[in-house]
Amino acid sequence: MEYDIVKLHNELVEILDYVVDVCEKNGFEYCLLYGTALGAYRHRGFIPWDDDLDIGMPREDYEKFIEYTKKNPSNLFSLQDESNEKNWFLTFCKVRKNDTLFIESMSDGLYSNNGLFIDIFLSLIHISEPTRLQLI
């Protein structure tokens, strides 16, 4: 299936903006991880062919983020994890954009919500000096 990578990146940033807003309003620490961090550093955005976005949170903030999003559901975005997805087999959660569709090859449409997503990992990284990356 072909898709417009620029449009996908823009949609992922929209989901990230929601997550960042929740984190900033509640004092939750977070950081970019993996190819997302590399893309931000090396490409000042996404790695051109990357089709996902990964962030991490320390355990306490990860758990608080999950609790917050369950108690304060959004009309536009949904948290997905083992507590609300019977077929869940991952060790991290996703925030999905409602009313979109992005089928991953590893899950092949197995989930009840297959919208565009960002992955949120439990991170062992302690963020002592937050650094803000800005696109120019």
Side-chain angles (χ1 to χ4, degrees):
M1 178 180 170
E2 289 291 318
Y3 54 87
D4 180 344
I5 195 77
V6 174
K7 184 176 180 184
L8 174 64
H9 289 167
N10 290 337
E11 296 282 344
L12 294 176
V13 168
E14 187 179 334
I15 302 168
L16 179 63
D17 287 345
Y18 163 73
V19 171
V20 166
D21 186 56
V22 169
C23 290
E24 297 286 329
K25 286 180 178 175
N26 291 282
F28 304 153
E29 291 182 2
Y30 62 93
C31 63
L32 302 179
L33 294 177
Y34 314 126
T36 304
L38 179 63
Y41 178 77
R42 189 170 67 187
H43 299 276
R44 302 178 85 50
F46 283 88
I47 296 173
W49 55 88
D50 199 3
D51 65 357
D52 73 343
L53 197 152
D54 303 313
I55 67 170
M57 294 181 187
R59 177 177 295 281
E60 184 177 341
D61 292 327
Y62 178 88
E63 291 171 356
K64 287 178 183 177
F65 176 84
I66 290 172
E67 182 180 335
Y68 177 87
T69 55
K70 288 180 179 178
K71 288 182 178 176
N72 301 281
S74 165
N75 292 330
L76 299 175
F77 307 100
S78 298
L79 181 91
Q80 187 177 42
D81 67 4
E82 69 278 353
S83 72
N84 60 13
E85 180 59 62
K86 71 177 186 165
N87 296 315
W88 199 253
F89 59 89
L90 301 171
T91 59
F92 54 90
C93 68
K94 294 179 181 282
V95 173
R96 294 202 183 253
K97 185 173 180 185
N98 298 334
D99 301 321
T100 62
L101 183 64
F102 188 82
I103 305 289
E104 298 174 84
S105 59
M106 71 175 196
S107 64
D108 196 28
L110 180 68
Y111 301 134
S112 59
N113 183 343
N114 292 290
L116 290 170
F117 63 90
I118 67 171
D119 294 327
I120 303 180
F121 293 91
L122 182 65
S123 175
L124 301 178
I125 298 170
H126 176 68
I127 306 162
S128 59
E129 286 283 327
T131 302
R132 303 224 184 270
L133 296 174
Q134 296 180 1
L135 296 177
I136 297 176

